[in-house]
Amino acid sequence: HLLLLSSLWILVASPALSIFQRPTGSPAPPHLQYLLEPLHTAVHTQRGATATLPCVLRALPRNYRVKWSKVEPTNYRESIIIITNGLYHKNYGPLSPRVRLRHSHRYDASLTITNVALEDEGRYRCQLVNGLEDESVSLMLHLEGVVFPYQPSNGRYKFNYQEAKRACEQQDSRLATYQQLYKAWTEGLDWCNAGWILDGTVHYPIINSREPCGGRLLLPGVRTYGARDKQKDRFDAFCFTSALQGQVYFIRGHLNFKEAGQACSNHGATIAKVGQLYSAWKFSQLDRCDGGWLADGSVRYPITTPRERCGGLPDPGVRSFGFPSKELRTYGTYCFVG
């Protein structure tokens, strides 16, 4: 697991009582009487890791509760995760089996999430419930990962929102957030087809302005179509995936799609999904010049060191041969073993 360290204020003992002292030159925000303002409001992690979101009290009110909740990105509602009164706690919702309070000392109400999943990314709130003096701090959990555009075998602009969401999940990923798409654009993602993202809006990232993609006069950026009809409107999808808990590897051969799946099975593995190949390319620097079958029937290959004989493109990336006939015996296969 990735070890994430969160900075705590120093506990200073005095004869009368114990207090938390802030660093010199950092006065406490006037609106927080009991909760410490976190040193860092963003925690970065990867899928499968253990992450801790810091929430520390400077003093303990006579009667209080601490409530952790998560702001859902699709509807901005808050879902309760855990409530504690310092002695007892209760977990709620789908995160329940994977969360606990850190409790490294009696002022510590930090939230620890084990085996971080793709859907855990987002904004969290630690709220001190103390009658009329409620107060809270917000923190962001960011997953390191990779965004990739995705369309089905029958061509571009075939997904409504729910179909796009399901397609990403079937490829070991989820619909990207706007922040994830924006970060991917700053790192070089340039794609002319518009796609759904998690909040139900539609965008496409452009680095090199060109005629088929809005014209040469428009500045580079993440172009937006705004919110669209989730049932009627159809676009591609932008999917997001993070680190793998497993390995992707290549089996050489002249295999059709069915034989590719069997070859992986013979090795105790499954045919890799698109998200798994992107993850192996991003986090394990998987680099192969060989096209291989994937679980959706597409043929792709990952390149981390661009070279002329491997497609000739100047940038790293996962190259695609599209969706050839599944009877074609031309390619090997990429397998995944957990």
Side-chain angles (χ1 to χ4, degrees):
H1 287 313
L2 180 66
L3 181 61
L4 295 175
L5 300 178
S6 56
S7 299
L8 291 174
W9 304 111
I10 302 172
L11 183 63
V12 181
S14 72
L17 75 165
S18 294
I19 62 172
F20 283 96
Q21 181 173 312
R22 297 179 65 86
T24 305
S26 302
H31 65 286
L32 290 181
Q33 181 180 355
Y34 292 104
L35 291 178
L36 289 171
E37 191 76 23
L39 285 175
H40 305 287
T41 58
V43 173
H44 294 265
T45 186
Q46 295 178 356
R47 178 169 55 178
T50 295
T52 296
L53 299 167
C55 184
V56 179
L57 284 71
R58 70 176 71 249
L60 301 178
R62 185 179 299 273
N63 295 301
Y64 76 96
R65 289 177 297 152
V66 171
K67 179 176 72 174
W68 275 99
S69 57
K70 183 174 186 286
V71 180
E72 298 301 335
T74 52
N75 55 23
Y76 300 105
R77 294 180 180 176
E78 290 195 22
S79 299
I80 297 174
I81 299 171
I82 195 168
I83 296 178
T84 180
N85 64 0
L87 296 175
Y88 306 100
H89 69 273
K90 185 174 181 179
N91 293 16
Y92 297 85
L95 267 174
S96 180
R98 296 189 289 113
V99 294
R100 57 180 170 80
L101 295 169
R102 182 173 61 181
H103 273 329
S104 59
H105 50 80
R106 69 193 190 103
Y107 294 88
D108 185 14
S110 302
L111 182 73
T112 295
I113 305 174
T114 60
N115 193 22
V116 171
L118 295 177
E119 59 269 22
D120 295 344
E121 173 152 316
R123 182 171 298 279
Y124 292 75
R125 188 159 77 110
C126 176
Q127 181 181 13
L128 178 74
V129 182
N130 183 33
L132 298 177
E133 300 177 330
D134 293 358
E135 54 192 55
S136 65
V137 294
S138 292
L139 301 107
M140 284 295 299
L141 183 66
H142 290 294
L143 269 70
E144 300 296 335
V146 56
V147 172
F148 61 94
Y150 188 74
Q151 58 183 224
S153 59
N154 56 343
R156 68 196 287 263
Y157 294 177
K158 301 296 183 182
F159 294 137
N160 65 23
Y161 174 79
Q162 291 298 333
E163 290 165 346
K165 185 173 182 289
R166 191 159 50 247
C168 289
E169 291 167 356
Q170 289 171 348
Q171 296 308 316
D172 193 50
S173 59
R174 73 189 301 241
L175 278 175
T177 65
Y178 181 82
Q179 290 77 13
Q180 289 165 344
L181 181 62
Y182 185 89
K183 183 174 185 289
W185 168 71
T186 66
E187 294 172 349
L189 181 60
D190 181 281
W191 196 256
C192 207
N193 293 346
W196 294 102
I197 62 172
L198 188 60
D199 64 3
T201 57
V202 175
H203 308 267
Y204 64 104
I206 294 296
I207 289 177
N208 302 308
S209 298
R210 50 203 187 272
E211 287 303 330
C213 307
R216 297 180 182 276
L217 297 181
L218 284 179
L219 292 174
V222 178
R223 313 265 175 80
T224 180
Y225 286 8
R228 310 298 291 190
D229 189 309
K230 291 183 178 180
Q231 295 298 324
K232 296 179 182 178
D233 289 328
R234 296 187 172 272
F235 297 95
D236 291 345
F238 286 105
C239 305
F240 171 84
T241 192
S242 186
L244 283 175
Q245 292 181 286
Q247 180 187 7
V248 173
Y249 62 93
F250 182 74
I251 294 179
R252 189 184 299 275
H254 297 282
L255 309 170
N256 63 30
F257 177 72
K258 184 177 180 180
E259 292 166 344
Q262 187 60 50
C264 293
S265 180
N266 292 344
H267 286 76
T270 58
I271 188 167
K273 299 177 180 180
V274 176
Q276 291 167 342
L277 184 66
Y278 268 94
S279 180
W281 165 75
K282 174 76 172 181
F283 291 99
S284 302
Q285 289 73 53
L286 184 62
D287 184 290
R288 286 205 70 101
C289 221
D290 307 279
W293 291 103
L294 296 177
D296 66 340
S298 65
V299 173
R300 306 173 195 251
Y301 61 103
I303 296 294
T304 56
T305 304
R307 44 213 188 268
E308 188 62 36
R309 66 183 183 85
C310 298
L313 296 176
D315 300 315
V318 175
R319 319 282 196 239
S320 175
F321 288 117
F323 294 85
S325 167
K326 291 184 176 181
E327 301 304 317
L328 199 63
R329 282 191 171 94
T330 305
Y331 308 105
T333 184
Y334 289 96
C335 304
F336 170 75
V337 60

